[in-house]
């Protein structure tokens, strides 16, 4: 079991900043959403702050308390005292955007972590059956790519998850070159390959003698999955 990353202080600091100065909402409203918060109470508080501001009302500890008291939600978000503490403990409202960025980045890390592991496991389960039926002995393993590097790439190129073609990497290792192409055919029969995402480094090795087949397919959830196919000898050269 692995705990999901979140920053309680960043979430509290952001909500407190917004309650102290609603103008901070303009700095974060274009990318931050209530579900980006990890703590359920913070999701509800942020949603209510945004609702009040969108209505043209002031979102403060008082108006928020009144907003929650209209229903039965005040106790579920920690009560009036907790709302007051959020505003009272803010170090500086200038840090509002920084808090928001931290909250958002941790949300993306949680999303990538969960999605990546699920897609890897599902794809491997599907892929393991086909080579066995074709009598091609192989070893299959996979992993999500490093979460931080993926997130940085998404921010740099302004891409969302559906545009990250190498989020998931699965490696298939076989005994000989013929089986490499045999597995490639199996992969393309199981999933639709993405155009222009196929590389034959066996026929045309890289300058460092790296050899492998690389193909990206649309996986079981519609997410691109990169599959690398190589022999044990190619693997030895690539790794060592």
């Amino acid at each position: 079991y692995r705990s999901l990353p979140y920053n309680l202080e960043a979430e509290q600091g952001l909500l407190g900043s917004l309650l102290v100065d609603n103008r901070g909402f303009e700095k974060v409203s274009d990318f931050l959403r209530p579900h980006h918060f990890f703590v359920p109470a913070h999701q509800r508080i942020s949603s209510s702050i945004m609702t009040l501001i969108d209505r043209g009302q002031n979102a403060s500890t008082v108006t928020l308390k009144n907003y929650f008291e209209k229903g039965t939600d005040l106790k579920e978000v920690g009560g009036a005292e907790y709302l007051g503490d959020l505003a009272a403990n803010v170090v500086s409202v200038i840090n509002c955007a920084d808090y928001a960025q931290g909250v958002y980045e941790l949300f993306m890390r949680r999303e990538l972590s969960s999605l990546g592991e699920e897609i890897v496991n599902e794809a491997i389960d599907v892929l393991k059956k086909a080579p066995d039926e074709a009598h091609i002995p192989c070893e299959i393993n996979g992993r999500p790519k490093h979460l931080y590097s993926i997130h940085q790439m998404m921010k740099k190129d302004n891409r969302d998850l559906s545009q990250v073609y190498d989020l998931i990497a699965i490696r298939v290792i076989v005994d000989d070159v013929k089986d490499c192409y045999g597995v490639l055919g199996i992969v393309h029969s199981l999933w639709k390959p993405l155009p222009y995402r196929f590389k034959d480094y066996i026929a045309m090795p890289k300058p460092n003698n790296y050899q492998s087949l690389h193909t990206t397919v649309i996986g079981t959830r519609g997410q691109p999955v990169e599959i690398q196919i190589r022999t044990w000898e190619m693997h030895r050269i690539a790794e060592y």
Side-chain angles (χ1 to χ4, degrees):
Y1 175 76
R2 183 174 62 187
S3 59
L4 296 175
Y6 75 101
N7 187 323
L8 181 62
E9 292 183 357
E11 293 193 1
Q12 292 173 329
L14 173 56
L15 294 174
S17 296
L18 293 175
L19 289 173
V20 171
D21 187 349
N22 288 178
R23 289 175 299 180
F25 181 67
E26 298 176 1
K27 301 177 181 178
V28 304
S29 60
D30 60 332
F31 68 91
L32 192 72
R33 300 293 179 267
H35 68 274
H36 295 158
F37 289 81
F38 180 79
V39 179
H42 293 168
Q43 294 177 3
R44 303 187 70 172
I45 293 171
S46 64
S47 177
S48 302
I49 290 174
M50 293 177 184
T51 297
L52 289 172
I53 294 176
D54 284 339
R55 291 177 180 175
Q57 300 175 246
N58 180 47
S60 65
T61 55
V62 175
T63 57
L64 203 59
K65 174 177 175 290
N66 293 335
Y67 180 85
F68 283 122
E69 282 183 337
K70 292 180 181 179
T72 60
D73 297 336
L74 184 60
K75 184 177 180 181
E76 295 179 10
V77 298
E81 183 178 356
Y82 186 67
L83 296 178
D85 288 343
L86 288 175
N89 294 330
V90 172
V91 177
S92 172
V93 296
I94 298 176
N95 296 330
C96 177
D98 293 332
Y99 288 137
Q101 192 64 41
V103 169
Y104 178 74
E105 289 186 1
L106 287 170
F107 163 76
M108 289 303 305
R109 287 178 60 187
R110 294 193 297 271
E111 288 291 287
L112 289 169
S113 178
S114 300
L115 177 64
E117 291 180 359
E118 290 173 5
I119 293 175
V120 163
N121 292 334
E122 289 177 2
I124 288 178
D125 286 343
V126 172
L127 188 54
K128 276 184 175 178
K129 298 175 183 178
D132 287 344
E133 294 174 357
H135 305 292
I136 299 176
C138 64
E139 178 179 299
I140 303 174
N141 54 68
R143 59 177 174 80
K145 294 291 185 70
H146 192 277
L147 300 180
Y148 180 77
S149 63
I150 292 170
H151 185 212
Q152 291 300 103
M153 178 175 59
M154 289 169 63
K155 288 201 303 180
K156 177 184 176 183
D157 299 335
N158 194 27
R159 291 189 282 174
D160 60 30
L161 281 177
S162 65
Q163 297 170 305
V164 180
Y165 296 131
D166 53 358
L167 169 62
I168 309 300
I170 292 177
R171 183 175 296 150
V172 183
I173 306 176
V174 298
D175 291 335
D176 56 44
V177 172
K178 173 178 64 68
D179 288 340
C180 287
Y181 291 98
V183 169
L184 177 67
I186 291 172
V187 168
H188 287 175
S189 70
L190 291 172
W191 298 295
K192 181 180 179 180
L194 279 174
Y196 313 114
R197 294 292 301 178
F198 171 67
K199 300 291 184 181
D200 188 343
Y201 295 118
I202 294 178
M204 294 186 295
K206 291 185 176 182
N208 62 357
N209 292 323
Y210 174 88
Q211 289 184 290
S212 182
L213 298 176
H214 288 200
T215 185
T216 301
V217 298
I218 302 300
T220 54
R221 297 194 183 191
Q223 178 67 41
V225 177
E226 182 190 65
I227 298 179
Q228 303 172 1
I229 310 167
R230 63 181 65 158
T231 66
W232 285 104
E233 177 61 16
M234 295 173 190
H235 181 64
R236 184 188 64 79
I237 295 173
E239 295 297 309
Y240 305 105

